[in-house]
Amino acid sequence: MSPSVSSRSARRRAVGTLCVLLAVGVVITGLVQAAPSTTPRAIDPRIAAVMRKPDYRHAQWGLFQQDPRTGKVTESRYADQFFIPGSTAKLFSVSGTWHTLGSDHHFVTPVHAVGQRRNATLKGDLDLVAQGDLTLGGRTRKDGTVAFTTIDHTYANDVPGATLTPENPLAGIDQLARQVRQSGIRRVDGDVVVDARLFQPDPGLDPVPTPLIINDNVIDLLTTPGAEAGTPAGLEWRPKVAPYHVTSSVRTVAAGKPSDINVSSSPDGTRIQLSGTIAADSAPVLRVSAVKDPNAFGRTALIEALQRAGVEVRAKAVGRNPVRQLPRSYKGAPTVARYTSPVYAQYAKLILKVSHNLGANLGICLMATSTGSTNCDDGFPVLAKFLDHAQVDRKAVQLADGRGGNPADRTTPRALAQILTYWQRTPEARRFRTSLPILGVDGTLADSCRSCPSRGKVFAKTGTAAGGDLLNDRLAVGAETTAGYLETRKGHFDVFFAGVNGAATPTADITGVLTIANDVSDVAAYLQQQAAGGH
């Protein structure tokens, strides 16, 4: 590629991606612009002991802690040097999207009747106009909140223990279909079309956001062991939409043996095959397979939902999405159904709690659409303007995506501290703070420090960047970080960062990464305990 090429997309694609980016993210301490009023204290011996472990022999640790009200800094170690952020980059992208859309913004996805109505028959098409709704009802509880699990299903192929929420991933599509019938339409003598012109999918963002998203654009595959060793494993999958078809040759092996389940699919993603083994005493094992054409998938899903609701559609359910039939505008085309999402703050909570990569990247595209652009890259200037407003030193932040998964992404602890401090000064401070994982309680910090004195008193985004070190048969952990808020006394919160770049695991077992994540969580707990006056 010529050096004269200047598009941000080209620059992002030029650098490739890390081997693995896990469901953990970084949050950094909220600094104010004033100079610190005191010098940092000596490092807690418990923290020093963690840093001296063999996994960190060649690594660099960063620490930062500050009172955002007074500017008093009590910990500072490499606060102005670049760190690989991992998923703490989501603090920037989610904050920018939150500010741009508003915390109470609803995504309203309409279905228009394009053509002529003759009694109960539509002579024309039903057009679903995608609005960038992250879940389209697939995680929405009856009370309007968005459901999540400790390890999200989108991480099922990389992180052990991923589970499903109980909600129906087709809930929004089914609701739209029922509304179409309630509008009086019983037959569609035309087609169903997904209008995904809101923005153009950008392959420089991985995973790639799309205007229509159903079940995070994946098929869930849940394997359960058979009755005894040697028997076929059980299989459940969702959402069931034609022409997707799943088969499994997974066999049950003796209790105590390893479970090893692999997923492959046809080039179009519609024929999915599971193979491998599952131990007789294993819990159900979740895997996912990508939906490669979200618009065709959504079109078929809506046609099938219409049929379940009692609306006949003349067009075949399976086929390409006929985008050439879309009108220039929907003036004069009545809205016959609309799905209204939960507020954006609920989506922000999902993204931050489970480190939802697709949702974080989607925020970049949504910021672009706020300017009338269909180019996701145009979301970055919107984010830049917000960071200036929030008094974040933008030169201390490098971002090429919204999730923290691009190798170019960097930030300093001080810059992350500044975005955290910004939120502390807004009326939505508590809403933002409680959207972060809570130590020992939920999200990516749910399984850390469950019985320690800091449980429930650390609110922090976590971040992990890891890849295979084939030379030494181990995992290279580019980043393991956490940052956010420490409750030092009732109602008072310091901002903090604790993280390490350049660690390594003893073996290639992924549990070594989880051990490093626990070390970082322990450091955060020690910072909280020391600030609260206890050991």
Side-chain angles (χ1 to χ4, degrees):
M1 182 177 291
S2 168
S4 64
V5 175
S6 61
S7 76
R8 287 186 294 273
S9 293
R11 291 200 299 272
R12 279 193 279 112
R13 284 191 286 271
V15 288
T17 57
L18 293 174
C19 296
V20 179
L21 269 155
L22 303 179
V24 213
V26 175
V27 179
I28 300 183
T29 61
L31 282 112
V32 295
Q33 300 301 313
S37 58
T38 62
T39 56
R41 64 195 170 210
I43 291 178
D44 187 305
R46 297 170 297 178
I47 295 175
V50 172
M51 292 179 175
R52 288 195 296 266
K53 288 185 176 182
D55 288 349
Y56 312 120
R57 180 180 177 186
H58 303 293
Q60 176 171 298
W61 279 86
L63 294 176
F64 195 86
Q65 184 178 345
Q66 185 183 38
D67 184 331
R69 293 181 183 175
T70 66
K72 179 181 179 181
V73 174
T74 50
E75 294 287 354
S76 183
R77 179 184 175 94
Y78 300 122
D80 295 301
Q81 291 194 10
F82 270 141
F83 280 77
I84 298 170
S87 287
T88 57
K90 293 179 173 71
L91 289 171
F92 296 120
S93 60
V94 171
S95 294
T97 310
W98 186 316
H99 180 265
T100 302
L101 300 179
S103 59
D104 292 324
H105 173 80
H106 294 274
F107 298 87
V108 181
T109 302
V111 174
H112 292 279
V114 181
Q116 299 295 319
R117 286 277 296 270
R118 294 182 181 177
N119 299 320
T121 298
L122 172 64
K123 298 286 187 179
D125 298 337
L126 287 176
D127 290 3
L128 184 159
V129 185
Q131 299 295 310
D133 186 331
L134 179 58
T135 72
L136 201 63
R139 294 178 186 251
T140 305
R141 302 185 183 101
K142 291 181 179 179
D143 64 359
T145 59
V146 172
F148 58 88
T149 60
T150 298
I151 303 177
D152 193 64
H153 74 143
T154 55
Y155 285 102
N157 293 353
D158 298 318
V159 183
T163 54
L164 296 171
T165 62
E167 286 71 26
N168 175 12
L170 296 176
I173 293 293
D174 285 340
Q175 187 178 127
L176 288 170
R178 290 193 296 268
Q179 289 182 30
V180 170
R181 191 179 193 283
Q182 290 164 6
S183 76
I185 296 175
R186 300 291 185 273
R187 177 180 170 85
V188 179
D189 280 345
D191 213 324
V192 171
V193 191
V194 171
D195 184 342
R197 294 178 290 188
L198 182 68
F199 60 81
Q200 296 297 316
D202 184 347
L205 298 173
D206 180 22
V208 179
T210 51
L212 180 68
I213 298 171
I214 298 174
N215 201 44
D216 299 310
N217 291 340
V218 298
I219 303 294
D220 297 317
L221 312 161
L222 191 66
T223 299
T224 54
E228 58 185 15
T231 59
L235 172 66
E236 297 178 17
W237 63 281
R238 70 175 203 183
K240 289 185 170 65
V241 174
Y244 283 75
H245 182 70
V246 183
T247 57
S248 174
S249 60
V250 177
R251 306 291 293 180
T252 308
V253 295
K257 289 195 172 182
S259 296
D260 184 14
I261 298 175
N262 300 303
V263 179
S264 60
S265 68
S266 58
D268 66 357
T270 63
R271 292 294 181 267
I272 302 168
Q273 171 70 39
L274 282 78
S275 61
T277 60
I278 185 170
D281 58 347
S282 172
V285 174
L286 182 65
R287 294 287 185 268
V288 294
S289 185
V291 171
K292 297 186 179 180
D293 188 342
N295 296 332
F297 183 86
R299 172 187 174 272
T300 298
L302 182 53
I303 291 175
E304 292 178 342
L306 288 164
Q307 292 169 346
R308 290 193 295 270
V311 179
E312 180 185 354
V313 179
R314 186 182 67 178
K316 292 182 179 179
V318 175
R320 291 180 178 273
N321 184 44
V323 293
R324 292 184 178 180
Q325 295 172 207
L326 291 172
R328 290 186 178 180
S329 78
Y330 290 100
K331 184 178 181 180
T335 300
V336 293
R338 57 168 57 86
Y339 179 79
T340 301
S341 76
V343 296
Y344 178 74
Q346 279 292 313
Y347 284 168
K349 186 175 184 178
L350 167 68
I351 296 166
L352 295 170
K353 291 286 189 185
V354 308
S355 209
H356 196 280
N357 291 326
L358 180 62
N361 279 345
L362 176 63
I364 301 295
C365 300
L366 294 175
M367 283 186 278
T369 65
S370 73
T371 69
S373 174
T374 61
N375 183 347
C376 290
D377 271 357
D378 288 332
F380 286 101
V382 178
L383 178 57
K385 184 177 180 180
F386 162 71
L387 293 179
D388 290 343
H389 164 76
Q391 296 184 305
V392 174
D393 179 6
R394 215 169 4 107
K395 298 301 182 182
V397 182
Q398 296 178 175
L399 287 179
D401 63 4
R403 63 173 279 204
N406 192 291
D409 294 345
R410 295 290 187 277
T411 187
T412 67
R414 190 176 301 275
L416 276 166
Q418 289 164 347
I419 192 63
L420 291 164
T421 294
Y422 162 79
W423 283 108
Q424 280 296 91
R425 295 170 176 171
T426 72
E428 296 192 297
R430 183 182 183 279
R431 197 175 194 182
F432 181 81
R433 183 176 65 251
T434 56
S435 295
L436 300 175
I438 303 174
L439 187 67
V441 176
D442 63 16
T444 54
L445 290 174
D447 294 328
S448 301
C449 205
R450 280 187 172 272
S451 59
C452 78
S454 298
R455 183 179 187 272
K457 298 177 182 178
V458 177
F459 305 77
K461 185 72 191 74
T462 56
T464 303
D469 174 5
L470 302 184
L471 179 66
N472 297 294
D473 191 25
R474 61 182 182 178
L475 295 175
V477 184
E480 190 62 61
T481 48
T482 188
Y485 304 100
L486 307 172
E487 186 170 19
T488 58
R489 60 182 183 275
K490 188 173 179 59
H492 183 90
F493 300 89
D494 279 3
V495 292
F496 85 99
F497 167 78
V500 60
N501 276 188
T505 62
T507 69
D509 190 333
I510 195 172
T511 58
V513 179
L514 303 180
T515 298
I516 294 174
N518 284 332
D519 281 346
V520 174
S521 296
D522 286 346
V523 169
Y526 297 147
L527 290 174
Q528 187 278 329
Q529 291 164 31
Q530 187 176 34
H535 294 273

